[in-house]
Amino acid sequence: MVSFASTLASLVSLVPSPSSINSNGSRFSAQPAMICCKFGQEDNNEDLFRRRDILQSVGAAVGMDLIARSSSFIEVANAADLIQRKQRSDFQSKIKTTLFEAMKANPDIIPSILTLALNDAMTYDKATKSGGPNGSIRFSSEISRPENKGLAAGLSLLEESKKVIDSDSKGGPISYADLIQFAAQSAVKSTFLASAISKCGGNVEKGTLLYSAYGSNGQWGQFDRTFGRSDGQEPDPEGRVPQWDKASVQEMKDKFKAVGLGPRQLAVMSAFLGPDQTATEALLANDPEVLPWVQKYQRSRETVSRTDYEVDLITTLTKLSSLGQLINYEAYTYAPKRIDVTKLKL
């Protein structure tokens, strides 16, 4: 860091005083810390030029000092930002690990988790900008509705996982809104990995290697950044989510359209619409608008990489999981230390 006090002496020593020049123009040794400035009629242009240079040099030293100090503030701010990012990243890793292990231990609960996330998001109403993935499905009056029949077991599993996650959090408890959507992510990843293992004849090691090489793990970037949803404080209004197992394809299309999605997204979300994905796709295939997409994703799932299916599913889930949500990008970070500005030296 540049210090004004230390710089001034070196600048002054570079400027000769009038006493260092005799009448013959010869120079004598100068006193390094002495400035001789005479004011009045005896001043000449050389003196004025010399004094102006001194003032400019002093001004430059002060400016350099201020720039150096401001740079240090910027460095501190950047360091604090990096610390907060790491805190969020570490907390998110804890969430993913806990949920993935829960899915691995309870694979039968995966369809329930997927529909739970879908139904929590599908309460979004564009006209009033209300509802959406706000965790309101946790309320007993909402989880007990006909469209949420059979989802209570999935919610109970998440509540147990939440206890584990919150016990390790230094930045506050995870919201139900985040918990439910990240649980859906873990469930989707579990099904992707299970498919890769199945393609390898049930060999877990080979299946994991196959998914690592050809899977879609890198496509979750935008989803992971959508982290910091707030919980709703009351149940969302009734009648916004259809009973998927009783709804017609047209009713499904209308609901998806109401939240900004179309036949393509309806087809790719078939696993979220009930416990039997094959039966759901057979129903969707009866609609000429949805049929081409059902066929496309069926073909994609037969390939090694499954790219079209997996990428479109991740993209659709990402959009659903953020409907109407204002994301708090500082959620789950440690409270920053306050700086006592009165003790800062400028």
Side-chain angles (χ1 to χ4, degrees):
M1 182 178 292
V2 179
S3 171
F4 167 67
S6 62
T7 306
L8 181 58
S10 62
L11 289 170
V12 171
S13 67
L14 296 176
V15 184
S17 68
S19 62
S20 67
I21 304 176
N22 62 17
S23 59
N24 296 324
S26 61
R27 296 177 180 270
F28 297 94
S29 60
Q31 297 298 323
M34 179 178 292
I35 302 177
C36 181
C37 297
K38 295 173 67 178
F39 295 90
Q41 295 180 351
E42 295 180 2
D43 287 351
N44 55 33
N45 290 336
E46 184 179 353
D47 292 332
L48 291 173
F49 179 74
R50 189 158 47 243
R51 287 198 298 271
R52 183 175 62 202
D53 283 355
I54 292 173
L55 292 174
Q56 287 178 345
S57 299
V58 171
V62 173
M64 292 171 65
D65 194 33
L66 291 176
I67 291 172
R69 291 180 184 276
S70 65
S71 298
S72 68
F73 287 135
I74 293 172
E75 290 174 1
V76 170
N78 288 340
D81 184 53
L82 289 174
I83 291 172
Q84 288 197 337
R85 289 184 184 180
K86 187 175 188 309
Q87 289 165 357
R88 283 168 56 85
S89 177
D90 290 345
F91 186 51
Q92 197 174 98
S93 295
K94 172 69 175 180
I95 294 168
K96 291 180 179 181
T97 300
T98 302
L99 292 173
F100 190 83
E101 290 300 321
M103 303 297 155
K104 184 178 179 180
N106 300 274
D108 293 341
I109 212 74
I110 287 178
S112 174
I113 297 295
L114 296 177
T115 305
L116 185 75
L118 175 66
N119 286 6
D120 192 43
M122 277 293 185
T123 58
Y124 179 62
D125 180 66
K126 291 175 67 175
T128 60
K129 292 182 171 54
S130 62
N134 57 11
S136 65
I137 201 168
R138 73 187 187 278
F139 292 112
S140 58
S141 59
E142 187 168 336
I143 193 66
S144 61
R145 292 173 185 170
E147 66 268 22
N148 296 325
K149 182 180 179 180
L151 304 184
L155 181 61
S156 295
L157 179 67
L158 297 191
E159 287 174 337
E160 291 302 312
S161 298
K162 188 177 189 302
K163 294 176 183 178
V164 177
I165 294 168
D166 290 346
S167 67
D168 195 45
S169 172
K170 297 180 178 64
I174 186 173
S175 68
Y176 277 91
D178 277 338
L179 178 71
I180 291 169
Q181 297 306 317
F182 272 83
Q185 180 198 46
S186 293
V188 167
K189 284 185 175 182
S190 295
T191 61
F192 288 172
L193 180 59
S195 176
I197 293 172
S198 177
K199 288 181 184 296
C200 294
N203 188 303
V204 175
E205 184 177 353
K206 290 183 178 179
T208 302
L209 182 61
L210 175 65
Y211 181 63
S212 299
Y214 294 99
S216 57
N217 228 19
Q219 299 294 325
W220 290 102
Q222 185 60 42
F223 182 94
D224 287 343
R225 285 191 289 274
T226 311
F227 184 49
R229 303 169 185 81
S230 298
D231 280 338
Q233 299 306 306
E234 60 184 10
D236 285 335
E238 293 187 59
R240 293 187 176 183
V241 182
Q243 290 182 247
W244 303 111
D245 60 339
K246 296 182 178 181
S248 66
V249 179
Q250 187 59 52
E251 288 173 328
M252 295 181 191
K253 287 167 58 179
D254 290 344
K255 181 56 192 177
F256 270 68
K257 182 179 180 180
V259 298
L261 302 175
R264 179 177 187 171
Q265 289 75 33
L266 175 59
V268 82
M269 295 290 286
S270 58
F272 288 67
L273 302 172
D276 190 341
Q277 185 177 12
T278 302
T280 300
E281 289 187 335
L283 175 63
L284 295 176
N286 292 320
D287 186 277
E289 286 187 301
V290 187
L291 174 60
W293 298 109
V294 171
Q295 294 173 332
K296 176 184 177 70
Y297 296 131
Q298 286 176 341
R299 289 193 299 269
S300 179
R301 290 199 298 269
E302 292 172 358
T303 65
V304 173
S305 63
R306 296 164 40 111
T307 302
D308 288 341
Y309 173 67
E310 292 189 1
V311 170
D312 283 6
L313 178 53
I314 293 170
T315 302
T316 302
L317 178 58
T318 300
K319 185 170 184 177
L320 276 169
S321 70
S322 59
L323 289 174
Q325 291 296 296
L326 295 175
I327 306 302
N328 176 12
Y329 293 100
E330 296 182 359
Y332 316 120
T333 57
Y334 299 56
K337 293 183 179 180
R338 294 188 176 276
I339 300 174
D340 187 353
V341 295
T342 62
K343 295 183 179 179
L344 295 177
K345 296 181 180 179
L346 297 177

